[in-house]
Amino acid sequence: MVDRDYHRLYIGEWYLGRKHGKGYCRYEKGDTYDGDWVSGKREGAGLRIYPSGARYVGQWKNNFRHGIGTMAWPNGDVYRGEWKDGEMHG
């Protein structure tokens, strides 16, 4: 199923009218997320590519980077480790 609105394109699984399971989302500003969804939120494992070119691959919870993950910035900086509520933690 494909969901198109003014802000994004979503291709993936649904459950009870919400993104749920595996899916790919492209947002209005060009950033993307490819990974797990639970009740319409990024949750589980996924890859997010930001408009700046930064890339995060790792765990998500309630739409935030949360758990173990790696962020790589276009300037070559890399952080590998723990995240909590979207922030580097540890």
Side-chain angles (χ1 to χ4, degrees):
M1 181 177 213
V2 176
D3 171 33
R4 296 173 198 250
D5 63 25
Y6 297 107
H7 304 291
R8 64 180 167 259
L9 163 74
Y10 176 77
I11 301 169
E13 299 174 26
W14 295 85
Y15 181 71
L16 298 177
R18 294 184 181 199
K19 299 170 189 78
H20 193 91
K22 299 287 183 188
Y24 169 85
C25 190
R26 185 177 68 225
Y27 299 91
E28 183 178 73
K29 294 184 180 180
D31 45 333
T32 62
Y33 174 78
D34 190 4
D36 298 329
W37 297 83
V38 175
S39 297
K41 296 181 180 181
R42 294 182 297 266
E43 184 134 354
L47 167 65
R48 180 94 188 254
I49 302 174
Y50 297 87
S52 67
R55 300 168 64 92
Y56 172 81
V57 62
Q59 298 173 324
W60 294 82
K61 183 176 180 183
N62 198 30
N63 274 339
F64 290 103
R65 296 178 299 255
H66 192 94
I68 302 299
T70 300
M71 176 73 88
W73 289 270
N75 67 2
D77 289 347
V78 175
Y79 171 79
R80 289 181 185 92
E82 193 170 339
W83 295 78
K84 184 175 180 184
D85 300 324
E87 303 292 326
M88 291 178 270
H89 182 79

